[in-house]
């Protein structure tokens, strides 16, 4: 069983920065796909950034050059550094871990960008 716990969400002004964390516990393999998704009211959950099983990093076009995903394999933790935040980045951010046909999701952390 895999558990994911996100943290770091907050209310921030446009142009500000936040860093999200996702700590994983259980049977974790650093080579599996793991990343961040987000969902805002009335919209489908969408990819933000992820590490893929073939060693690549994918970013949504809307966050390229503003967001950076990173990881600490010693802590089974991934991070999302978010800079130059915009109101349209407001959403619940979820951590995903994929293992053999199963998607594990965290409970989500709210990010609100507003003046």
């Amino acid at each position: 069983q895999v558990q994911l716990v996100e943290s770091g969400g907050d209310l921030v002004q446009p142009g500000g920065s936040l860093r999200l964390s996702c700590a994983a516990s259980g049977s974790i393999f650093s080579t599996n796909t793991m990343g961040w998704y987000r969902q805002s009211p009335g919209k489908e959950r969408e990819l933000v950034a992820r590490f893929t099983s073939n060693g690549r990093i994918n970013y949504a076009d809307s966050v390229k050059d503003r967001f950076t995903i990173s990881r600490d394999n010693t802590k089974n933790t991934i991070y999302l550094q978010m800079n130059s935040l915009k109101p349209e980045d407001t959403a619940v951010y979820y951590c995903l871990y994929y293992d053999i046909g199963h998607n594990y999701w965290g409970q989500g952390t709210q990010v609100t960008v507003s003046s």
Side-chain angles (χ1 to χ4, degrees):
Q1 188 71 11
V2 172
Q3 290 188 326
L4 305 170
V5 179
E6 302 101 332
S7 61
D10 205 345
L11 169 64
V12 63
Q13 292 187 344
S17 298
L18 280 177
R19 188 174 86 149
L20 305 183
S21 300
C22 172
S25 60
S27 182
I28 302 296
F29 297 93
S30 62
T31 53
N32 283 9
T33 294
M34 189 169 181
W36 293 94
Y37 287 69
R38 67 187 181 187
Q39 188 168 20
S40 50
K43 295 186 178 181
E44 294 187 353
R45 195 169 296 188
E46 63 177 3
L47 169 70
V48 177
R50 67 185 174 192
F51 295 99
T52 68
S53 58
N54 60 2
R56 296 185 178 182
I57 296 177
N58 300 143
Y59 287 100
D61 288 343
S62 59
V63 307
K64 282 180 181 177
D65 301 323
R66 298 189 299 123
F67 291 9
T68 302
I69 190 171
S70 61
R71 70 194 309 166
D72 184 342
N73 290 333
T74 65
K75 297 180 180 179
N76 285 337
T77 299
I78 63 169
Y79 305 94
L80 185 68
Q81 177 66 43
M82 306 186 293
N83 299 327
S84 302
L85 282 161
K86 304 175 181 180
E88 51 263 43
D89 295 317
T90 295
V92 178
Y93 284 70
Y94 296 93
C95 181
L96 165 76
Y97 177 81
Y98 174 82
D99 185 33
I100 310 178
H102 187 91
N103 288 329
Y104 295 92
W105 294 97
Q107 81 288 350
T109 186
Q110 176 70 47
V111 172
T112 302
V113 184
S114 175
S115 55

